[in-house]
Amino acid sequence: MLDRPDLIYRYDGSFEGLMCCVYESFYKREMPLSIISREEAQQSLFEAREIVTDNAKAARVMKAVKEKISGEAMRLVYRAYLTDLRDREVHILRFLVLGFKCGAKVLKMLTDDRVAILYKAVTRLGNEAELLRGFVRFSDFGGGLVATIEPKNNVLPLLKHHFMSRYPGGSFIIYDKTHRLALVVYK
């Protein structure tokens, strides 16, 4: 794979969009300097290539990760995407490049920075989610429950099942102020 220290990928910020960046990188045989979401985009001296999200390409990448590396690697990549790790997209891409070379054993290569960085970030994500499972406080708001959180990582996908089982049949909203996202359950 050819390094391109003068190239930046720009994508929509979605997980599927990131998987399309991975597809583009492998297809063009290039390693971009950076992968940034459109929200983060700034003027730069480097060439920026817009990567369009294509669900078919994203699905091909996810299927390839599961088949050629493992399902556990796919879970690690998804959770790494949810972290606040700086340049997480490039770290994920580098991990996948190594994973496609080594297969499932990449998950045991904890002394390799491409693997260790993701594991550390995902551990921090899991710790933050566990902390919030116990400390989210809801207020009654018109018959529903509402809570506001300010996590460093995007923990809402990890909190969803916990709070749905904790409040079966109930309606609630958890608003993530940091990422401007909300988990809305209406029953």
Side-chain angles (χ1 to χ4, degrees), residues 1 9 21 31 63 90 104 120 136 143-144 152 162 172:
M1 186 157 296
Y9 284 179
C21 291
M31 178 63 72
K63 181 180 178 189
V90 172
K120 287 177 188 173
V136 170
K152 291 179 181 177
H162 170 77
F172 63 88

Side-chain angles (χ1 to χ4, degrees), residues 21-113:
C21 291
V22 172
Y23 180 93
E24 183 80 5
S25 176
F26 276 86
Y27 181 75
K28 301 270 184 170
R29 298 187 188 286
E30 61 192 12
M31 178 63 72
L33 171 69
S34 184
I35 302 172
I36 57 173
S37 69
R38 288 185 196 118
E39 291 177 358
E40 299 171 17
Q42 299 176 7
Q43 288 288 47
S44 174
L45 298 173
F46 301 111
E47 175 189 348
R49 183 178 305 147
E50 191 75 25
I51 306 299
V52 177
T53 300
D54 178 334
N55 288 331
K57 288 179 181 176
R60 281 181 65 185
V61 172
M62 290 185 274
K63 181 180 178 189
V65 171
K66 290 175 189 173
E67 290 176 355
K68 296 182 180 184
I69 308 173
S70 71
E72 186 180 342
M74 190 66 235
R75 283 186 294 281
L76 178 67
V77 165
Y78 176 69
R79 286 182 175 227
Y81 166 77
L82 297 175
T83 68
D84 68 340
L85 177 63
R86 183 181 167 112
D87 297 323
R88 71 179 184 266
E89 295 90 349
V90 172
H91 289 296
I92 289 169
L93 177 57
R94 288 182 179 144
F95 168 81
L96 289 173
V97 168
L98 180 63
F100 283 126
K101 285 181 186 172
C102 300
K105 68 181 179 183
V106 71
L107 295 167
K108 296 180 180 168
M109 299 171 68
L110 300 178
T111 58
D112 190 301
D113 282 345

